[in-house]
PDB file of all heavy atoms in Angstrom:
ATOM      1  N   LEU W 310      -5.137 -18.899   0.141  1.00 95.00           N
ATOM      2  CA  LEU W 310      -5.932 -19.401  -0.983  1.00 95.00           C
ATOM      3  C   LEU W 310      -5.042 -20.131  -1.984  1.00 95.00           C
ATOM      4  O   LEU W 310      -5.392 -21.211  -2.484  1.00 95.00           O
ATOM      5  CB  LEU W 310      -6.652 -18.232  -1.663  1.00 95.00           C
ATOM      6  CG  LEU W 310      -7.433 -18.549  -2.936  1.00 95.00           C
ATOM      7  CD1 LEU W 310      -8.560 -19.527  -2.654  1.00 95.00           C
ATOM      8  CD2 LEU W 310      -7.971 -17.258  -3.567  1.00 95.00           C
ATOM      9  N   VAL W 311      -3.886 -19.561  -2.273  1.00 95.00           N
ATOM     10  CA  VAL W 311      -2.952 -20.190  -3.217  1.00 95.00           C
ATOM     11  C   VAL W 311      -2.465 -21.531  -2.672  1.00 95.00           C
ATOM     12  O   VAL W 311      -2.383 -22.527  -3.408  1.00 95.00           O
ATOM     13  CB  VAL W 311      -1.760 -19.253  -3.487  1.00 95.00           C
ATOM     14  CG1 VAL W 311      -0.696 -19.970  -4.311  1.00 95.00           C
ATOM     15  CG2 VAL W 311      -2.218 -17.996  -4.215  1.00 95.00           C
ATOM     16  N   LEU W 312      -2.143 -21.574  -1.378  1.00 96.00           N
ATOM     17  CA  LEU W 312      -1.673 -22.835  -0.777  1.00 96.00           C
ATOM     18  C   LEU W 312      -2.750 -23.914  -0.858  1.00 96.00           C
ATOM     19  O   LEU W 312      -2.451 -25.086  -1.113  1.00 96.00           O
ATOM     20  CB  LEU W 312      -1.272 -22.588   0.678  1.00 96.00           C
ATOM     21  CG  LEU W 312      -0.012 -21.735   0.882  1.00 96.00           C
ATOM     22  CD1 LEU W 312       0.184 -21.426   2.355  1.00 96.00           C
ATOM     23  CD2 LEU W 312       1.215 -22.433   0.315  1.00 96.00           C
ATOM     24  N   MET W 313      -4.009 -23.533  -0.645  1.00 96.00           N
ATOM     25  CA  MET W 313      -5.098 -24.505  -0.762  1.00 96.00           C
ATOM     26  C   MET W 313      -5.232 -25.001  -2.198  1.00 96.00           C
ATOM     27  O   MET W 313      -5.517 -26.177  -2.441  1.00 96.00           O
ATOM     28  CB  MET W 313      -6.412 -23.893  -0.269  1.00 96.00           C
ATOM     29  CG  MET W 313      -6.476 -23.701   1.241  1.00 96.00           C
ATOM     30  SD  MET W 313      -8.111 -23.225   1.844  1.00 96.00           S
ATOM     31  CE  MET W 313      -8.249 -21.552   1.211  1.00 96.00           C
ATOM     32  N   MET W 314      -5.034 -24.115  -3.156  1.00 95.00           N
ATOM     33  CA  MET W 314      -5.085 -24.533  -4.557  1.00 95.00           C
ATOM     34  C   MET W 314      -4.012 -25.573  -4.863  1.00 95.00           C
ATOM     35  O   MET W 314      -4.238 -26.534  -5.594  1.00 95.00           O
ATOM     36  CB  MET W 314      -4.898 -23.316  -5.477  1.00 95.00           C
ATOM     37  CG  MET W 314      -6.073 -22.368  -5.520  1.00 95.00           C
ATOM     38  SD  MET W 314      -5.720 -20.968  -6.626  1.00 95.00           S
ATOM     39  CE  MET W 314      -7.294 -20.117  -6.588  1.00 95.00           C
ATOM     40  N   VAL W 315      -2.834 -25.361  -4.303  1.00 94.00           N
ATOM     41  CA  VAL W 315      -1.717 -26.264  -4.575  1.00 94.00           C
ATOM     42  C   VAL W 315      -1.912 -27.622  -3.907  1.00 94.00           C
ATOM     43  O   VAL W 315      -1.673 -28.666  -4.513  1.00 94.00           O
ATOM     44  CB  VAL W 315      -0.390 -25.630  -4.107  1.00 94.00           C
ATOM     45  CG1 VAL W 315       0.762 -26.636  -4.221  1.00 94.00           C
ATOM     46  CG2 VAL W 315      -0.079 -24.382  -4.927  1.00 94.00           C
ATOM     47  N   PHE W 316      -2.364 -27.637  -2.647  1.00 94.00           N
ATOM     48  CA  PHE W 316      -2.313 -28.863  -1.850  1.00 94.00           C
ATOM     49  C   PHE W 316      -3.640 -29.611  -1.699  1.00 94.00           C
ATOM     50  O   PHE W 316      -3.631 -30.816  -1.482  1.00 94.00           O
ATOM     51  CB  PHE W 316      -1.744 -28.556  -0.463  1.00 94.00           C
ATOM     52  CG  PHE W 316      -0.309 -28.129  -0.502  1.00 94.00           C
ATOM     53  CD1 PHE W 316       0.045 -26.807  -0.252  1.00 94.00           C
ATOM     54  CD2 PHE W 316       0.687 -29.035  -0.810  1.00 94.00           C
ATOM     55  CE1 PHE W 316       1.365 -26.404  -0.300  1.00 94.00           C
ATOM     56  CE2 PHE W 316       2.021 -28.642  -0.855  1.00 94.00           C
ATOM     57  CZ  PHE W 316       2.360 -27.325  -0.595  1.00 94.00           C
ATOM     58  N   ALA W 318      -6.765 -28.735  -3.694  1.00 93.00           N
ATOM     59  CA  ALA W 318      -7.743 -28.546  -4.779  1.00 93.00           C
ATOM     60  C   ALA W 318      -7.948 -29.846  -5.551  1.00 93.00           C
ATOM     61  O   ALA W 318      -7.019 -30.643  -5.736  1.00 93.00           O
ATOM     62  CB  ALA W 318      -7.296 -27.443  -5.720  1.00 93.00           C
ATOM     63  N   SER W 320      -9.923 -29.665  -8.626  1.00 90.00           N
ATOM     64  CA  SER W 320     -10.044 -29.249 -10.016  1.00 90.00           C
ATOM     65  C   SER W 320      -8.680 -28.940 -10.614  1.00 90.00           C
ATOM     66  O   SER W 320      -7.808 -28.358  -9.956  1.00 90.00           O
ATOM     67  CB  SER W 320     -10.945 -28.009 -10.127  1.00 90.00           C
ATOM     68  OG  SER W 320     -10.353 -26.905  -9.477  1.00 90.00           O
ATOM     69  N   ASP W 321      -8.490 -29.321 -11.851  1.00 90.00           N
ATOM     70  CA  ASP W 321      -7.222 -29.047 -12.538  1.00 90.00           C
ATOM     71  C   ASP W 321      -6.974 -27.550 -12.669  1.00 90.00           C
ATOM     72  O   ASP W 321      -5.831 -27.085 -12.611  1.00 90.00           O
ATOM     73  CB  ASP W 321      -7.237 -29.683 -13.928  1.00 90.00           C
ATOM     74  CG  ASP W 321      -7.098 -31.197 -13.867  1.00 90.00           C
ATOM     75  OD1 ASP W 321      -6.725 -31.714 -12.784  1.00 90.00           O
ATOM     76  OD2 ASP W 321      -7.366 -31.859 -14.886  1.00 90.00           O
ATOM     77  N   GLN W 322      -8.050 -26.786 -12.853  1.00 91.00           N
ATOM     78  CA  GLN W 322      -7.900 -25.342 -13.024  1.00 91.00           C
ATOM     79  C   GLN W 322      -7.257 -24.715 -11.803  1.00 91.00           C
ATOM     80  O   GLN W 322      -6.307 -23.928 -11.921  1.00 91.00           O
ATOM     81  CB  GLN W 322      -9.269 -24.692 -13.272  1.00 91.00           C
ATOM     82  CG  GLN W 322      -9.184 -23.175 -13.444  1.00 91.00           C
ATOM     83  CD  GLN W 322     -10.523 -22.555 -13.779  1.00 91.00           C
ATOM     84  OE1 GLN W 322     -11.357 -23.182 -14.418  1.00 91.00           O
ATOM     85  NE2 GLN W 322     -10.735 -21.328 -13.353  1.00 91.00           N
ATOM     86  N   PHE W 323      -7.723 -25.060 -10.617  1.00 93.00           N
ATOM     87  CA  PHE W 323      -7.155 -24.511  -9.386  1.00 93.00           C
ATOM     88  C   PHE W 323      -5.743 -25.043  -9.132  1.00 93.00           C
ATOM     89  O   PHE W 323      -4.872 -24.314  -8.647  1.00 93.00           O
ATOM     90  CB  PHE W 323      -8.065 -24.820  -8.200  1.00 93.00           C
ATOM     91  CG  PHE W 323      -9.135 -23.785  -7.977  1.00 93.00           C
ATOM     92  CD1 PHE W 323      -9.305 -22.731  -8.852  1.00 93.00           C
ATOM     93  CD2 PHE W 323      -9.991 -23.869  -6.878  1.00 93.00           C
ATOM     94  CE1 PHE W 323     -10.291 -21.775  -8.658  1.00 93.00           C
ATOM     95  CE2 PHE W 323     -10.974 -22.913  -6.654  1.00 93.00           C
ATOM     96  CZ  PHE W 323     -11.124 -21.860  -7.561  1.00 93.00           C
ATOM     97  N   LYS W 324      -5.523 -26.329  -9.440  1.00 93.00           N
ATOM     98  CA  LYS W 324      -4.187 -26.900  -9.232  1.00 93.00           C
ATOM     99  C   LYS W 324      -3.144 -26.173 -10.083  1.00 93.00           C
ATOM    100  O   LYS W 324      -2.071 -25.814  -9.597  1.00 93.00           O
ATOM    101  CB  LYS W 324      -4.196 -28.383  -9.588  1.00 93.00           C
ATOM    102  CG  LYS W 324      -4.931 -29.270  -8.589  1.00 93.00           C
ATOM    103  CD  LYS W 324      -4.938 -30.717  -9.074  1.00 93.00           C
ATOM    104  CE  LYS W 324      -5.694 -31.624  -8.102  1.00 93.00           C
ATOM    105  NZ  LYS W 324      -5.750 -33.027  -8.580  1.00 93.00           N
ATOM    106  N   LEU W 325      -3.464 -25.969 -11.358  1.00 92.00           N
ATOM    107  CA  LEU W 325      -2.526 -25.304 -12.249  1.00 92.00           C
ATOM    108  C   LEU W 325      -2.313 -23.846 -11.862  1.00 92.00           C
ATOM    109  O   LEU W 325      -1.183 -23.346 -11.861  1.00 92.00           O
ATOM    110  CB  LEU W 325      -3.034 -25.394 -13.697  1.00 92.00           C
ATOM    111  CG  LEU W 325      -3.039 -26.793 -14.315  1.00 92.00           C
ATOM    112  CD1 LEU W 325      -3.735 -26.777 -15.671  1.00 92.00           C
ATOM    113  CD2 LEU W 325      -1.614 -27.310 -14.458  1.00 92.00           C
ATOM    114  N   LEU W 326      -3.395 -23.156 -11.513  1.00 92.00           N
ATOM    115  CA  LEU W 326      -3.286 -21.756 -11.114  1.00 92.00           C
ATOM    116  C   LEU W 326      -2.478 -21.633  -9.828  1.00 92.00           C
ATOM    117  O   LEU W 326      -1.648 -20.729  -9.687  1.00 92.00           O
ATOM    118  CB  LEU W 326      -4.681 -21.150 -10.927  1.00 92.00           C
ATOM    119  CG  LEU W 326      -4.729 -19.663 -10.532  1.00 92.00           C
ATOM    120  CD1 LEU W 326      -4.005 -18.815 -11.567  1.00 92.00           C
ATOM    121  CD2 LEU W 326      -6.169 -19.217 -10.372  1.00 92.00           C
ATOM    122  N   GLY W 327      -2.704 -22.546  -8.880  1.00 92.00           N
ATOM    123  CA  GLY W 327      -1.962 -22.507  -7.626  1.00 92.00           C
ATOM    124  C   GLY W 327      -0.472 -22.680  -7.845  1.00 92.00           C
ATOM    125  O   GLY W 327       0.342 -21.971  -7.239  1.00 92.00           O
ATOM    126  N   LYS W 328      -0.100 -23.615  -8.727  1.00 93.00           N
ATOM    127  CA  LYS W 328       1.324 -23.839  -9.001  1.00 93.00           C
ATOM    128  C   LYS W 328       1.963 -22.610  -9.651  1.00 93.00           C
ATOM    129  O   LYS W 328       3.125 -22.293  -9.394  1.00 93.00           O
ATOM    130  CB  LYS W 328       1.485 -25.057  -9.907  1.00 93.00           C
ATOM    131  CG  LYS W 328       1.151 -26.375  -9.217  1.00 93.00           C
ATOM    132  CD  LYS W 328       1.221 -27.551 -10.185  1.00 93.00           C
ATOM    133  CE  LYS W 328       0.836 -28.857  -9.494  1.00 93.00           C
ATOM    134  NZ  LYS W 328       0.852 -30.004 -10.432  1.00 93.00           N
ATOM    135  N   ALA W 329       1.199 -21.936 -10.482  1.00 90.00           N
ATOM    136  CA  ALA W 329       1.725 -20.740 -11.143  1.00 90.00           C
ATOM    137  C   ALA W 329       1.844 -19.560 -10.193  1.00 90.00           C
ATOM    138  O   ALA W 329       2.716 -18.693 -10.360  1.00 90.00           O
ATOM    139  CB  ALA W 329       0.830 -20.369 -12.324  1.00 90.00           C
ATOM    140  N   ALA W 330       0.992 -19.529  -9.173  1.00 91.00           N
ATOM    141  CA  ALA W 330       0.921 -18.358  -8.295  1.00 91.00           C
ATOM    142  C   ALA W 330       1.680 -18.518  -6.988  1.00 91.00           C
ATOM    143  O   ALA W 330       1.870 -17.533  -6.271  1.00 91.00           O
ATOM    144  CB  ALA W 330      -0.545 -18.039  -7.990  1.00 91.00           C
ATOM    145  N   ILE W 331       2.147 -19.723  -6.664  1.00 93.00           N
ATOM    146  CA  ILE W 331       2.710 -19.964  -5.335  1.00 93.00           C
ATOM    147  C   ILE W 331       3.996 -19.179  -5.084  1.00 93.00           C
ATOM    148  O   ILE W 331       4.154 -18.556  -4.025  1.00 93.00           O
ATOM    149  CB  ILE W 331       2.943 -21.477  -5.099  1.00 93.00           C
ATOM    150  CG1 ILE W 331       3.445 -21.719  -3.676  1.00 93.00           C
ATOM    151  CG2 ILE W 331       3.890 -22.066  -6.115  1.00 93.00           C
ATOM    152  CD1 ILE W 331       2.476 -21.359  -2.597  1.00 93.00           C
ATOM    153  N   VAL W 332       4.923 -19.185  -6.032  1.00 91.00           N
ATOM    154  CA  VAL W 332       6.193 -18.481  -5.813  1.00 91.00           C
ATOM    155  C   VAL W 332       5.982 -16.965  -5.751  1.00 91.00           C
ATOM    156  O   VAL W 332       6.447 -16.313  -4.809  1.00 91.00           O
ATOM    157  CB  VAL W 332       7.230 -18.855  -6.895  1.00 91.00           C
ATOM    158  CG1 VAL W 332       8.489 -17.990  -6.751  1.00 91.00           C
ATOM    159  CG2 VAL W 332       7.594 -20.325  -6.781  1.00 91.00           C
ATOM    160  N   PRO W 333       5.266 -16.348  -6.719  1.00 90.00           N
ATOM    161  CA  PRO W 333       4.990 -14.913  -6.568  1.00 90.00           C
ATOM    162  C   PRO W 333       4.235 -14.603  -5.270  1.00 90.00           C
ATOM    163  O   PRO W 333       4.503 -13.588  -4.620  1.00 90.00           O
ATOM    164  CB  PRO W 333       4.125 -14.590  -7.796  1.00 90.00           C
ATOM    165  CG  PRO W 333       4.464 -15.649  -8.783  1.00 90.00           C
ATOM    166  CD  PRO W 333       4.730 -16.884  -7.984  1.00 90.00           C
ATOM    167  N   GLY W 334       3.286 -15.479  -4.885  1.00 91.00           N
ATOM    168  CA  GLY W 334       2.500 -15.240  -3.680  1.00 91.00           C
ATOM    169  C   GLY W 334       3.342 -15.197  -2.423  1.00 91.00           C
ATOM    170  O   GLY W 334       3.072 -14.409  -1.511  1.00 91.00           O
ATOM    171  N   ILE W 335       4.358 -16.034  -2.352  1.00 91.00           N
ATOM    172  CA  ILE W 335       5.246 -16.023  -1.185  1.00 91.00           C
ATOM    173  C   ILE W 335       5.913 -14.665  -1.034  1.00 91.00           C
ATOM    174  O   ILE W 335       6.169 -14.198   0.075  1.00 91.00           O
ATOM    175  CB  ILE W 335       6.307 -17.144  -1.316  1.00 91.00           C
ATOM    176  CG1 ILE W 335       5.633 -18.517  -1.174  1.00 91.00           C
ATOM    177  CG2 ILE W 335       7.421 -16.982  -0.291  1.00 91.00           C
ATOM    178  CD1 ILE W 335       6.550 -19.686  -1.465  1.00 91.00           C
ATOM    179  N   PRO W 341      -1.103 -12.930 -10.530  1.00 87.00           N
ATOM    180  CA  PRO W 341      -1.624 -14.158 -11.146  1.00 87.00           C
ATOM    181  C   PRO W 341      -2.979 -14.585 -10.597  1.00 87.00           C
ATOM    182  O   PRO W 341      -3.784 -15.169 -11.320  1.00 87.00           O
ATOM    183  CB  PRO W 341      -0.542 -15.197 -10.801  1.00 87.00           C
ATOM    184  CG  PRO W 341       0.710 -14.406 -10.664  1.00 87.00           C
ATOM    185  CD  PRO W 341       0.276 -13.111 -10.030  1.00 87.00           C
ATOM    186  N   ILE W 342      -3.242 -14.278  -9.335  1.00 90.00           N
ATOM    187  CA  ILE W 342      -4.536 -14.612  -8.741  1.00 90.00           C
ATOM    188  C   ILE W 342      -5.575 -13.550  -9.088  1.00 90.00           C
ATOM    189  O   ILE W 342      -6.703 -13.859  -9.488  1.00 90.00           O
ATOM    190  CB  ILE W 342      -4.410 -14.743  -7.210  1.00 90.00           C
ATOM    191  CG1 ILE W 342      -3.618 -16.009  -6.864  1.00 90.00           C
ATOM    192  CG2 ILE W 342      -5.778 -14.783  -6.550  1.00 90.00           C
ATOM    193  CD1 ILE W 342      -4.306 -17.293  -7.239  1.00 90.00           C
TER     194      ILE W 342
END
Side-chain angles (χ1 to χ4, degrees):
L310 175 62
V311 172
L312 291 173
M313 289 189 290
M314 288 179 175
V315 173
F316 294 108
S320 65
D321 287 346
Q322 179 176 329
F323 272 5
K324 288 177 181 178
L325 292 172
L326 181 58
K328 290 176 182 178
I331 184 64
V332 173
I335 291 173
I342 290 294

